[in-house]
Amino acid sequence: MSVSEESFDVVVVGSGGGGLIGAYTAASRGLRTLLIEKTDKVGGTTSYSGGGSWYPGSAPLLRSGIGESDLEAARTYLRAVVDDASREDLQDAYLAAGAQLIDELEKNPVFGQFDTAPVPDYFGTVEGATLHGRTVFPAPVPVAEIGEHADIVRRSIYTERYGHTEDEILIGGRALIGRALKAFLETGNGTLKLNTALTELVVEDGRIVGVEATTDGQSVRYRAGRGVLLATGGFEHNTELRAKYDNYPLKGDWSDAVGSNVGDGHVAGIAVGADTELMDEAWYISGVVQRDGLPLFNVTRGGIWVNGAGQRFTNEAAPYDQVGRAIRAGDRTTGVSHAPTHWIFDHKQLARDGFGGKSPDTPVDEDWFTSGTIKRADTLEELAAIIGVPADALTESVAKFNGFVPGGVDEQFHRGESAWDQMVSFIVGYPALPEQAFVQPIEPEGPNSLLVKIDTPPYYAATILPSDIGTKGGLKTDTKARVLRADGTVIDGLYATGNTMAAMSGTVYPGAGTPVGSTLAFAYLAARDIAGD
């Protein structure tokens, strides 16, 4: 059977932040660039994100008064927290590319100027860490400015799961995607094909020369004269691959990544000889179980978490990757179940922060209880029986925590002491929907605002599951994002970025915006190499 064929200079697979920035970079250099996306929306998991990129030394930071010397401090910090000499070249390439990319994007009015926000680095005691952070964000943009293509920008995770109404202004990751889509199409060299899924890579004489795909049930071939960039995200929702590579959690529907991420790029790359790294790793988070039974990312500032033994096991307010890893590590090594984790809080916290309610007078909708999502009891002993943990252990855990409050020091896990924790005291993750959440100021009961006694009945337990915003293992690449074989040789014509490539940050999450920053930076490097820059 004949297969239709079209030819381009570059084929980019996947339309998240990396795919769009890679496609824009290539097309803006005059290369005829095809961007294919398997769904009917562009944006991938980037659309679910805050859109930040961890880019030390970039122009927005310089404008805010953070000097160029910060780049070297950031390098020191990155070396220390990653602690993997084999990834140092990738780190240097990333640090250089981030600042260069922002300079280039800001020259295009479609992108405008990027902003900054004070988000402390996640390992605050390591040399080179900062309180101000190094994360830059795309400016919000009205839907009207994006034009006719705004409708194909993927909605937020809240909308896709729960029908939350979107504003007429794109923010965070959606702003980045909307701007990049508009810029790509305005180059005059870009072609976008939705509902077009990669099936395999085309190899001729050892070189990747294109892709095989399906669109509307038909097989098609797109030739790429200069190169193919894989930006298909991770394999979050592929339970078989997660099991094969011991990638925790095994239940793909526990991930907060976009549901279409099943490892298409990984499978295609491995089939043509690509080496892989970090396949058991992910960007971990904790997720509060919603009324549909699925977890959703949150940041906790009140109550305590206990495992199946009724004991605390981590600083609940620590950076999300760190608490996600604490759940993972405990579940694997202690012989005590950490999945699910039980979030214990009292009525005082419920009235303060809300849980899916619409006001302080109605802080929680009753169906959270009738659905069994939140458990409620008049005493801690009764609550322990409901959630299946030892009553004496739970009451002891709460009593110990309450005992820390007057002195302001969490002697178990040092909650509230780091710059990140102190930032958390002013925010709260939304266990329900943004428009249903409200936040009241924390009233200190001691010198540490994140230590507030759990002593006002009734008592509540919500469920926390291990989750992620993406797997981080993938195809091994060099500093130009070229895909490598196990012997270290380059697979000519093949590039990878984002969660399709093995992360430059190894097993850690250094700071806010590292995942998005990585996919943009290495897509930029790939497109520049393809273009011969």
Side-chain angles (χ1 to χ4, degrees):
M1 182 178 69
S2 63
V3 176
S4 65
E5 184 172 293
E6 296 182 59
S7 295
F8 299 86
D9 295 318
V10 183
V11 175
V12 178
V13 186
S15 69
L20 273 167
I21 290 299
Y24 166 74
T25 303
S28 67
R29 284 158 170 75
L31 300 182
R32 293 175 300 109
T33 304
L34 171 66
L35 175 62
I36 65 172
E37 163 58 45
K38 69 187 293 186
T39 73
D40 62 352
K41 295 286 188 291
V42 301
T45 305
T46 305
S47 286
Y48 291 172
S49 75
S53 293
W54 194 79
Y55 283 161
S58 60
L61 295 171
L62 299 180
R63 289 194 295 267
S64 69
I66 300 171
E68 293 182 8
S69 62
D70 182 61
L71 182 61
E72 290 311 310
R75 195 185 316 276
T76 298
Y77 170 77
L78 196 55
R79 291 281 198 271
V81 298
V82 176
D83 193 25
D84 182 349
S86 71
R87 318 200 80 70
E88 290 182 358
D89 288 347
L90 290 174
Q91 293 166 25
D92 291 341
Y94 169 87
L95 290 170
Q100 294 168 3
L101 171 60
I102 295 299
D103 284 344
E104 183 168 325
L105 296 183
E106 288 193 335
K107 292 177 182 177
N108 186 333
V110 173
F111 287 100
Q113 285 196 335
F114 285 70
D115 301 322
T116 62
V119 185
D121 289 324
Y122 291 166
F123 296 86
T125 61
V126 173
E127 182 182 359
T130 69
L131 297 178
H132 55 67
R134 293 157 167 136
T135 309
V136 302
F137 296 88
V141 59
V143 169
E145 286 191 22
I146 303 303
E148 61 179 320
H149 299 292
D151 285 344
I152 63 172
V153 174
R154 183 170 293 282
R155 286 8 180 205
S156 71
I157 191 171
Y158 305 103
T159 294
E160 292 202 340
R161 286 195 184 181
Y162 310 115
H164 167 54
T165 301
E166 300 284 3
D167 294 329
E168 290 303 306
I169 296 179
L170 303 182
I171 62 173
R174 298 190 71 222
L176 176 64
I177 294 299
R179 290 177 181 277
L181 175 63
K182 179 178 174 66
F184 169 62
L185 295 175
E186 287 186 354
T187 63
N189 298 311
T191 300
L192 171 66
K193 291 185 182 291
L194 300 176
N195 301 305
T196 302
L198 171 71
T199 53
E200 61 181 322
L201 296 164
V202 180
V203 186
E204 292 180 1
D205 299 324
R207 176 180 173 81
I208 304 303
V209 296
V211 303
E212 298 272 1
T214 58
T215 180
D216 297 325
Q218 301 297 313
S219 295
V220 293
R221 173 174 291 185
Y222 300 118
R223 299 191 70 87
R226 291 185 176 235
V228 172
L229 171 60
L230 298 176
T232 57
F235 54 95
E236 298 84 34
H237 294 278
N238 188 324
T239 302
E240 291 182 4
L241 281 182
R242 297 199 81 147
K244 177 180 179 180
Y245 292 107
D246 196 24
N247 193 296
Y248 182 82
L250 295 181
K251 293 189 177 182
D253 57 359
W254 287 2
S255 175
D256 271 11
V258 67
S260 56
N261 285 4
V262 293
D264 295 342
H266 295 72
V267 172
I270 292 169
V272 297
D275 195 13
T276 60
E277 294 180 309
L278 303 171
M279 293 293 280
D280 61 340
E281 284 290 332
W283 305 95
Y284 291 109
I285 60 173
S286 59
V288 175
V289 173
Q290 306 294 294
R291 285 166 282 188
D292 61 1
L294 298 179
L296 187 65
F297 171 73
N298 95 306
V299 176
T300 299
R301 67 173 185 164
I304 61 171
W305 296 0
V306 300
N307 57 21
Q311 300 170 335
R312 284 184 77 202
F313 59 90
T314 190
N315 168 12
E316 299 89 348
Y320 34 89
D321 185 68
Q322 295 174 34
V323 296
R325 288 177 182 278
I327 296 173
R328 178 194 194 217
D331 209 32
R332 289 184 163 195
T333 62
T334 65
V336 176
S337 175
H338 284 53
T341 289
H342 306 285
W343 178 12
I344 309 299
F345 53 96
D346 66 358
H347 196 72
K348 177 171 50 183
Q349 180 187 326
L350 182 69
R352 183 192 72 191
D353 293 342
F355 209 106
K358 298 175 176 61
S359 74
D361 295 328
T362 56
V364 61
D365 293 333
E366 190 62 26
D367 62 351
W368 284 90
F369 300 114
T370 57
S371 66
T373 309
I374 301 180
K375 311 296 192 297
R376 174 173 52 190
D378 291 329
T379 68
L380 288 171
E381 290 82 0
E382 292 172 357
L383 188 64
I386 292 171
I387 63 177
V389 304
D392 56 348
L394 179 61
T395 56
E396 180 182 349
S397 294
V398 171
K400 182 180 290 188
F401 177 79
N402 288 347
F404 299 146
V405 174
V409 178
D410 176 2
E411 296 176 9
Q412 277 187 293
F413 300 107
H414 304 283
R415 182 161 125 194
E417 296 177 17
S418 73
W420 169 265
D421 288 16
Q422 291 158 22
M423 183 189 76
V424 168
S425 71
F426 295 100
I427 66 173
V428 65
Y430 301 124
L433 303 178
E435 80 274 22
Q436 293 178 323
F438 53 87
V439 180
Q440 299 184 73
I442 294 177
E443 296 182 6
E445 298 181 3
N448 185 336
S449 63
L450 280 183
L451 301 184
V452 177
K453 288 184 178 179
I454 305 169
D455 61 2
T456 306
Y459 298 97
Y460 305 95
T463 301
I464 290 176
L465 291 175
S467 184
D468 60 57
I469 52 175
T471 54
K472 67 190 307 185
L475 309 183
K476 188 173 181 178
T477 57
D478 66 7
T479 57
K480 297 178 181 179
R482 298 180 299 182
V483 176
L484 304 176
R485 301 181 180 89
D487 62 5
T489 58
V490 172
I491 300 178
D492 289 339
L494 185 61
Y495 299 77
T497 193
N499 291 340
T500 313
M501 66 173 277
M504 69 87 194
S505 58
T507 62
V508 301
Y509 197 148
T514 308
V516 172
S518 295
T519 192
L520 305 189
F522 286 100
Y524 178 62
L525 290 169
R528 286 177 53 184
D529 190 65
I530 292 170
D533 276 7

